[in-house]
Amino acid sequence: MGIFPETGQGIERVSLTDKNILLGVTGGIAAYKAAELARLLVKAGARVQVAMSEAATRFVGPLTFQALSGKPVLTGLWQGEGAGMDHIHASRGTDLVLVAPASADFLAKLAQGRADDLLSALCLARACPLAVAPAMNREMWAAAATQRNLVQLRADGVHVLGPAAGEQACGETGPGRMLEPAELMAALPGLLGAGLLAGARVVVTAGPTYEPVDPVRGLTNLSSGRMGYAVAQAAAEAGATVCLVSGPTCLATPPGVRRVDVRTAHQMHAAVLAELPCDVFIAVAAVADYRSDSAAPQKIKKDTGGLDLHLVPNPDILAEVAARPDAPFCVGFAAETERLAEYAEAKRLKKKLPLLVGNLAQDTLGQDSAELVLFDDNGAHPLPRAAKLAQARSLIAHLALLRT
Ligand code: C5P
């Protein structure tokens, strides 16, 4: 049973007991919050080894971390009892390296693979997952160089946790605040491979819908369903009980996922409502916006003249689910062909979604890989092109963090 405060959303957290966590602390005012993080980690039963950059020691004394972790703090390449090999030994047997706060300078070092101090060297020498919790002034966060480094780090498989937006130590307001220690704690089980969505009921829609015009013809779109199926798989991997409501596709059901097949938007609407209440609803389907208001009972015969079809709007499943009093955590998708950020953010606000995934349809449809941007209250988070399953796993990690 979990050691974390109850989220009220049915997630059962996996224990951190006996996990070996290397907590890296770099130079920034948020270093004082890392002391609380060390305390929470120890309280949760983790074995904590702290490593500090030289700049971090200017903000908080190593003795504070030594007292909290019960172990001498690693500070320099040339000190310690590791015969000059601390940078190699430190991450051996470690389950996770978490650098919090991670300064702009440290992110730049990581992105370049530099190893000129103990913390950067041990990050390079590690074989376990690495997570960073950036903390810096909003302009430093927004700087092209920092954003370039983040794209590189994500592509290298580094988990980027946050930052949050809000008041900053410098007096400015914007993105760049380190996530609170409790928020970081909530993200750790997932990074350690534990069930990020354990105990959660997740409903995913996928594929196109098909709206009949007559018994042999209909309106549909080019959605292959691959992204939705990948999302269902990633949610199941994360420990959720997953129902996949799927329009017509030729894909195999992911392992452990229950699939409900539908054809039309109306059927998808009914199937989704039948699955409520749930904890998370992820609407990936490319639902046809319109249907013919009077599908012909027999095949329409060809004539020399034109054919007028009267189309009526379909129910917006996602908007309806998100507006319910018992609304689950809702995630939308926006496939645009231009002005992605503008249209996607407008859609997120209109449908009142905490998270929306944007992509350029022409770059994604029918492909095995996708380039995505996640939009949430903290801004836009690009996910550089990767396999759809890898993107789906990143999406699940991100939404699990937002739900906490
Ligand atoms: O409004 P738009 O169709 O662009 O919004 C896309 C998002 O809304 C997707 O997440 C899609 O699955 C969902 N949607 C829906 N029902 C509709 C139309 C879209 O659930 N009728």
Side-chain angles (χ1 to χ4, degrees):
M1 183 50 211
I3 39 141
F4 290 87
E6 188 54 60
T7 61
Q9 292 167 325
I11 288 194
E12 197 170 312
R13 294 277 171 204
V14 178
S15 172
L16 294 180
T17 307
D18 293 335
K19 294 290 183 201
N20 292 303
I21 311 279
L22 194 141
L23 175 61
V25 184
T26 69
I29 188 62
Y32 82 92
K33 290 190 185 175
E36 171 67 357
L37 182 57
R39 190 186 71 79
L40 291 177
L41 285 167
V42 170
K43 195 173 162 209
R47 285 188 283 266
V48 181
Q49 170 67 65
V50 177
M52 301 177 79
S53 70
E54 201 274 328
T57 63
R58 308 282 178 129
F59 289 88
V60 183
L63 202 56
T64 300
F65 287 102
Q66 178 169 330
L68 290 166
S69 67
K71 285 188 200 152
V73 171
L74 303 172
T75 50
L77 270 174
W78 319 112
Q79 298 145 357
E81 291 167 9
M85 286 295 159
D86 277 345
H87 64 294
I88 307 294
H89 297 150
S91 67
R92 296 295 172 266
T94 295
D95 296 300
L96 174 77
V97 175
L98 168 63
V99 182
S103 64
D105 178 60
F106 192 74
L107 296 180
K109 271 190 186 190
L110 272 183
Q112 288 180 8
R114 289 176 60 189
D116 57 359
D117 70 1
L118 181 74
L119 187 53
S120 53
L122 74 83
C123 285
L124 202 58
R126 79 185 200 287
C128 63
L130 170 63
V132 294
M136 64 198 72
N137 164 268
R138 65 186 175 93
E139 299 287 12
M140 294 173 84
W141 171 254
T146 302
Q147 292 302 316
R148 212 166 45 233
N149 290 334
L150 285 160
V151 168
Q152 184 60 57
L153 290 175
R154 287 194 174 103
D156 292 347
V158 176
H159 302 280
V160 181
L161 307 176
E167 270 181 35
Q168 305 206 307
C170 53
E172 298 180 5
T173 303
R177 280 171 63 89
M178 189 175 91
L179 291 186
E180 295 302 325
E183 293 174 305
L184 292 172
M185 289 294 289
L188 296 190
L191 304 183
L192 288 161
L196 265 183
L197 291 180
R201 266 178 50 81
V202 176
V203 177
V204 180
T205 64
T209 64
Y210 177 91
E211 312 297 331
V213 168
D214 72 14
V216 293
R217 306 185 183 94
L219 302 171
T220 188
N221 58 64
L222 287 175
S223 168
S224 67
R226 280 184 211 165
M227 192 68 224
Y229 278 57
V231 168
Q233 178 170 341
E237 285 173 1
T241 304
V242 183
C243 173
L244 173 63
V245 179
S246 174
T249 73
C250 52
L251 301 173
T253 310
V257 168
R258 181 168 57 88
R259 173 166 150 190
V260 176
D261 284 329
V262 297
R263 210 149 84 112
T264 65
H266 258 285
Q267 290 167 356
M268 185 172 277
H269 178 250
V272 167
L273 294 191
E275 295 299 326
L276 299 182
C278 66
D279 299 300
V280 178
F281 177 51
I282 311 176
V284 195
V287 185
D289 291 321
Y290 297 96
R291 67 180 186 282
S292 167
D293 68 346
S294 52
Q298 302 300 335
K299 186 178 172 192
I300 300 171
K301 300 310 286 177
K302 188 164 63 176
D303 208 341
T304 46
L307 173 67
D308 286 330
L309 285 178
H310 186 246
L311 303 181
V312 290
N314 272 326
D316 189 321
I317 306 166
L318 175 59
E320 188 178 318
V321 172
R324 286 168 64 102
D326 63 347
F329 184 97
C330 287
V331 182
F333 270 69
E336 306 293 347
T337 53
E338 57 171 350
R339 293 156 76 178
L340 178 61
E342 184 189 331
Y343 290 157
E345 189 56 11
K347 199 165 288 185
R348 188 175 84 84
L349 296 176
K350 185 169 167 220
K351 300 199 190 198
K352 299 195 173 63
L353 306 173
L355 179 60
L356 183 131
V357 183
N359 65 273
L360 283 173
Q362 61 271 33
D363 293 347
T364 308
L365 274 174
Q367 299 206 29
D368 287 326
S369 65
E371 191 177 334
L372 306 177
V373 185
L374 308 185
F375 296 90
D376 63 22
D377 286 344
N378 290 318
H381 311 273
L383 296 179
R385 181 167 287 282
K388 285 184 174 171
L389 184 56
Q391 301 294 56
R393 288 176 178 144
S394 300
L395 167 64
I396 294 296
H398 196 83
L399 87 83
L401 183 63
L402 290 182
R403 283 187 73 218
T404 54

